[in-house]
Amino acid sequence: MLHSSPSSSFHHTTTLHPSPSPSLLSASSPSSSRHAWLPLRHFSFQTRPLRLNNLHIHNHFALTSPKALKVNCSTSEPLKIMISGAPASGKGTQCELIVQKFGLVHISTGDLLRAEVVAGTEIGNKAKEFMNSGRLVPDEIVTAMVAARLSREDAKQRGWLLDGYPRTFSQAESLEKMQIRPDLYIVLDVPDEILIDRCVGRRLDPVTGKIYHLKFFPPESEEIKARLVMRPDDTEEKVKSRLEIYKQNAEAASSSYSNITKKIDGSRSKEEVFKEVESSLSQLQQSKGKILKSGEMEIQRTLEKSILDTKKGSGSSRQDKWRGIPTRLNNIPHSREIRQYFYDDVIKATQRAVNDGKTRLKVDINIPELNPEMDVYRIGTLMELVRGLALSFADDGKRVKVCVQGSMGEGALAGMPLQLAGSRKILEFMDWGDYGAKGTFINIGSIGAAEVEEQDDLYILVAPQNAVGNCIIDDLRAMTNAAEHRPVILINARLKDLPGSSGIMQTMGRDQRLKYAASFESCYFFRLLYYAGTQYPIMGAIRMSYPYRYELYKRVDDPSGKEKYVILSTFLERPTTDEINDAFEGKPRNETRKGSGIWGFLSGIF
Ligand code: AP5
């Protein structure tokens, strides 16, 4: 059984279009030549000196201007893999094999940095002291290099294999900000004692870039053996310190990828390890193709149906473009990008409705962070949403009043709903922009007729709700009467009747109250679907953005655990539970229902 509850959304494949500085672009990585710090490099590095001041400019651009990065939603992208593990866990060794088999672009931060060191660039000189002592190179240097490398055409076309990055929480955060996420996060798991042995015995061929080990992979000839070199950070003492630093950061760095992590026992032979790596990547590659096909077919069918409906006169002719909803909705709290998606979605829908002359509107968005019944409820998300909406109208020169209901009730029942506690204060102290919007275009007030002033153009009411022993509807009605033709927008209102303090439901005037509550037209609706009685995992979602139709999405997972949402059907009116069940079961519309089936919703959820 499925039920709906407040929350959810989106995924993304990312095509980056920053304009990295030319100097950064020059820091290229060979696909498999890992140890380019060596004096005799004959691999494909074309390293030109980089200037640190260029780097800073670029880094700032990349991290603080995510809008400058173009993110395209697409399911047809090549593989994007991250490989992580302690020093000498075999990342470089496995990367060589992955590149041979899958043709991905290998981006190793260790290699990129060693190339800078060899070229004697400013970055290289700075990085050298950190690397030689086994410490991590400062985040801003490494992140700028990675962002520049990922933005290159080959990585976009062939897919990428990111090795040794992110290594800290802040590096992982930087990637999130740039909306760069892998399909799979591989962790090579190897016990400490083996790691030290591997590092101390590692030798590199400066001519071919090949990685050897004195014991495990000895060189093929005396000639090669004679030219092998050791990495300066491969002494036992430095390895121990690198290992310690790895352990301090590993958990935080990988936490964002827990649902797409594949832990592999890296203590086995390199062939055995690769067998498992290869099988995971092959499966992922296949499922990516399959999901794309079935998802596209479903969307195509829905589109055709919608076009047919429109021709029959039942559809909205304005629905000409489909958009997806965010993935990773099961990850809570949501990332900034996901929250921003919802803010933008609500703003656009509400603006369209107001521009169409609608004056009594409601936004109903029920993602977990906005659902006071879930323990992940976050007042900040509600406030950010309200601020974004208010500022969007203020930007158009409208004077907006943002209203929160005041204390209600008397005696022991005096107070306000817990969900709204402190919200008025937060609104007062929030940052309302640099141009002094607050006090001119934005004012904060409470709910009631007394708040309606001549100069106001529009009212946004923050989660107005009935409380035990008190009904907000009378104040609301007085306010909307006083506002007359001016738009009043309710955000996540809860206007259902509640029992009085004596526990008895007040029936007098109930009809009028319900009728009044229903007089607000939905301009935005978003609700997650779950199995009945659960709040995890999300099974699908319903979205409506004025003036378009209600869209029903179903969650489809690929084997790596990545979420995708495909449109199952669209509806002119909010779908009933039966309609949702039918769509999930793949039944054609209007077929007589026989029982509720596994997707049966609890009735009355809506
Ligand atoms: P980096 O070069 O990335 O070093 P690392 O992470 O310590 O990893 P290694 O290259 O030492 O080991 P590996 O896992 O690739 O193992 P390999 O395949 O070679 O980084 C170096 C430095 O750069 C860092 O210390 C830091 O200063 C800086 N840096 C890099 N990224 C950074 C970032 N994001 N932020 C900040 N600073 C950063 O194998 C090791 C040995 O084991 C070889 O001899 C190999 O032949 C052998 N071997 C491999 N697999 C097997 C197997 N299955 N069985 C037996 N032997 C094996």
Side-chain angles (χ1 to χ4, degrees), residues 59-288:
N59 186 39
H60 177 77
F61 164 72
L63 297 185
T64 59
S65 309
K67 280 183 184 157
L69 303 169
K70 190 173 165 201
V71 179
N72 293 332
C73 301
S74 154
T75 44
S76 59
E77 284 183 22
L79 290 179
K80 292 171 294 181
I81 309 295
M82 279 182 189
I83 187 159
S84 136
S89 53
K91 302 182 291 292
T93 304
Q94 293 303 319
C95 285
E96 280 181 15
L97 301 170
I98 295 172
V99 169
Q100 277 167 27
K101 168 91 196 199
F102 295 91
L104 305 181
V105 173
H106 178 205
I107 301 171
S108 151
T109 41
D111 284 349
L112 289 172
L113 288 166
R114 280 185 285 270
E116 296 296 332
V117 173
V118 171
T121 64
E122 205 174 335
I123 286 180
N125 291 338
K126 201 162 170 54
K128 195 173 172 178
E129 59 179 276
F130 291 95
M131 296 175 77
N132 286 350
S133 60
R135 286 176 296 150
L136 292 180
V137 175
D139 286 349
E140 62 271 21
I141 294 181
V142 190
T143 297
M145 294 176 86
V146 170
R149 187 64 191 88
L150 282 170
S151 71
R152 292 178 63 178
E153 208 47 42
D154 58 346
K156 286 190 261 174
Q157 298 296 329
R158 285 162 45 201
W160 44 258
L161 174 60
L162 197 46
D163 162 10
Y165 188 96
R167 247 175 236 229
T168 61
F169 179 68
S170 101
Q171 291 180 3
E173 253 189 345
S174 301
L175 284 182
E176 284 289 302
K177 279 185 195 152
M178 293 184 277
Q179 300 188 331
I180 298 171
R181 270 185 84 82
D183 301 315
L184 186 66
Y185 184 84
I186 297 174
V187 180
L188 297 178
D189 191 28
V190 181
D192 290 5
E193 49 295 355
I194 299 185
L195 293 171
I196 293 170
D197 243 22
R198 283 191 188 173
C199 259
V200 177
R202 171 168 46 194
R203 296 291 182 274
L204 308 161
D205 183 346
V207 177
T208 62
K210 207 169 160 189
I211 310 167
Y212 290 96
H213 191 281
L214 293 179
K215 194 154 74 188
F216 309 126
F217 308 113
E220 296 87 350
S221 67
E222 283 303 313
E223 188 194 342
I224 297 174
K225 189 176 178 185
R227 65 183 187 227
L228 294 184
V229 292
M230 194 177 171
R231 256 170 59 170
D233 55 351
D234 270 351
T235 62
E236 185 167 344
E237 191 196 8
K238 285 176 188 164
V239 175
K240 282 183 177 159
S241 134
R242 283 159 60 199
L243 196 51
E244 198 49 45
I245 292 173
Y246 169 78
K247 286 179 180 169
Q248 282 162 13
N249 290 292
E251 205 178 308
S254 61
S255 58
S256 325
Y257 310 112
S258 54
N259 63 339
I260 48 165
T261 296
K262 168 88 184 161
K263 202 169 183 175
I264 292 179
D265 174 5
S267 62
R268 297 165 295 169
S269 75
K270 81 173 180 188
E271 292 77 16
E272 276 177 288
V273 176
F274 183 63
K275 222 168 153 184
E276 200 174 337
V277 170
E278 184 188 19
S279 140
S280 299
L281 295 196
S282 299
Q283 269 177 32
L284 182 61
Q285 212 169 36
Q286 273 174 14
S287 65
K288 261 191 136 182

Side-chain angles (χ1 to χ4, degrees), residues 379-581:
I379 186 93
T381 304
L382 179 64
M383 297 294 123
E384 278 175 3
L385 172 69
V386 167
R387 177 178 57 188
L389 189 59
L391 285 174
S392 77
F393 286 107
D395 282 348
D396 290 345
K398 294 198 171 72
R399 287 173 183 268
V400 182
K401 190 165 273 174
V402 178
C403 304
V404 186
Q405 68 196 63
S407 179
M408 306 160 74
E410 284 166 15
L413 291 173
M416 66 194 314
L418 195 56
Q419 182 199 353
L420 292 173
S423 52
R424 170 93 192 230
K425 271 219 152 49
I426 297 173
L427 284 171
E428 297 280 1
F429 287 113
M430 268 177 111
D431 175 7
W432 287 93
D434 296 332
Y435 56 96
K438 186 158 164 284
T440 55
F441 287 98
I442 308 273
N443 283 289
I444 315 292
S446 32
I447 293 177
E451 290 293 338
V452 176
E453 293 177 285
E454 177 120 17
Q455 71 272 15
D456 302 334
D457 291 317
L458 181 142
Y459 301 89
I460 294 176
L461 277 45
V462 184
Q465 52 195 285
N466 292 327
V468 172
N470 245 293
C471 179
I472 187 76
I473 286 191
D474 292 340
D475 288 338
L476 252 184
R477 198 196 313 262
M479 187 170 187
T480 46
N481 286 345
E484 296 178 324
H485 59 278
R486 289 172 281 185
V488 176
I489 302 157
L490 313 183
I491 309 289
N492 282 1
R494 285 146 66 94
L495 303 180
K496 273 200 300 196
D497 272 6
L498 289 177
S501 53
S502 57
I504 295 168
M505 190 69 96
Q506 201 190 348
T507 50
M508 217 166 40
R510 188 158 191 261
D511 278 357
Q512 285 93 324
R513 286 196 297 276
L514 291 179
K515 210 167 149 198
Y516 175 75
S519 68
F520 287 82
E521 187 181 338
S522 245
C523 63
Y524 188 82
F525 182 88
F526 192 95
R527 186 156 293 193
L528 292 173
L529 303 172
Y530 301 89
Y531 279 117
T534 68
Q535 292 188 325
Y536 181 87
I538 296 159
M539 305 309 295
I542 300 174
R543 169 182 175 269
M544 190 282 293
S545 168
Y546 177 90
Y548 303 124
R549 292 158 63 101
Y550 284 83
E551 298 159 358
L552 176 63
Y553 290 88
K554 179 181 177 184
R555 196 195 83 221
V556 180
D557 286 343
D558 63 30
S560 68
K562 194 170 178 176
E563 297 173 7
K564 282 184 171 58
Y565 291 84
V566 293
I567 292 181
L568 284 185
S569 202
T570 68
F571 303 84
L572 259 183
E573 301 291 331
R574 194 186 307 171
T576 62
T577 51
D578 282 352
E579 285 172 321
I580 294 170
N581 290 329

